[in-house]
């Protein structure tokens, strides 16, 4: 019994040590979706350099779509005291080629629709990836 517990403990430590996240999904280019321990940590990151990543959209991303030129995402704000506020939804537009951390963050639905028209984002680009449990 003691050996089983020790092996289980080592396996848990190994996954933490080597950085295996719960979700590590490449979106397009150097952008990726990441949640380390829980889904409510879901965020979008940009891999800038060999050992450098930049946060693009903070927790909690629950829907996104991409077409190679643009990434669109929806998120709910999250704080330590109250957790995820599912009553508020922010929209995000990321221009893939810009590689900038401040790209149309925290838009309302109306602002998102206007920015989408301004940037000529195709209507067929939709939120294809949806995490229902975070919605």
């Amino acid at each position: 019994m003691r050996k089983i517990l020790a092996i289980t403990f080592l396996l848990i430590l190994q996954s933490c040590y080597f950085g295996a996240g719960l979700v590590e999904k490449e979106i397009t280019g150097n952008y990726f979706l990441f949640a380390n321990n829980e889904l409510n940590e879901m965020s979008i990151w940009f891999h800038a350099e060999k050992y450098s990543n930049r946060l693009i959209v903070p927790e909690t991303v629950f829907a996104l779509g991409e077409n190679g030129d643009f990434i669109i995402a929806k998120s709910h704000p999250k704080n330590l005291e109250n957790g995820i506020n599912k009553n508020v939804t922010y929209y995000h537009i990321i221009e893939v080629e810009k590689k900038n951390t401040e790209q149309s963050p925290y838009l309302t639905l109306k602002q998102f629709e206007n920015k989408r028209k301004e940037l000529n984002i195709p209507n067929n680009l939709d939120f294809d990836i949806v995490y229902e449990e975070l919605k």
Side-chain angles (χ1 to χ4, degrees), residues 4-19:
I4 293 172
L5 287 174
I7 290 171
T8 303
F9 182 71
L10 287 174
L11 288 174
I12 290 170
L13 283 179
Q14 179 183 2
S15 67
C16 294
Y17 179 76
F18 289 109

Side-chain angles (χ1 to χ4, degrees), residues 30-115:
N30 288 339
Y31 293 89
F32 61 98
L33 193 60
F34 182 76
N36 195 36
N37 298 309
E38 298 176 2
L39 280 182
N40 66 15
E41 298 174 344
M42 195 81 67
S43 51
I44 297 175
W45 291 78
F46 176 72
H47 181 71
E49 298 169 17
K50 189 172 183 176
Y51 298 108
S52 174
N53 296 314
R54 289 188 230 145
L55 180 63
I56 303 295
V57 180
E59 302 169 1
T60 298
V61 173
F62 68 91
L64 68 97
E66 66 86 17
N67 68 358
D69 295 320
F70 297 97
I71 299 169
I72 57 173
K74 293 183 193 179
S75 69
H76 295 304
K78 178 185 167 194
N79 65 44
L80 294 175
E81 294 173 16
N82 302 319
I84 301 172
N85 182 353
K86 292 184 177 182
N87 295 319
V88 176
T89 299
Y90 293 123
Y91 295 81
H92 311 269
I93 297 174
I94 300 165
E95 296 177 67
V96 173
E97 291 301 314
K98 277 193 171 180
K99 300 174 182 156
N100 185 343
T101 57
E102 296 184 24
Q103 297 190 54
S104 302
Y106 307 108
L107 301 172
T108 64
L109 179 57
K110 184 70 174 164
Q111 291 170 324
F112 173 76
E113 290 169 345
N114 290 338
K115 189 73 172 176

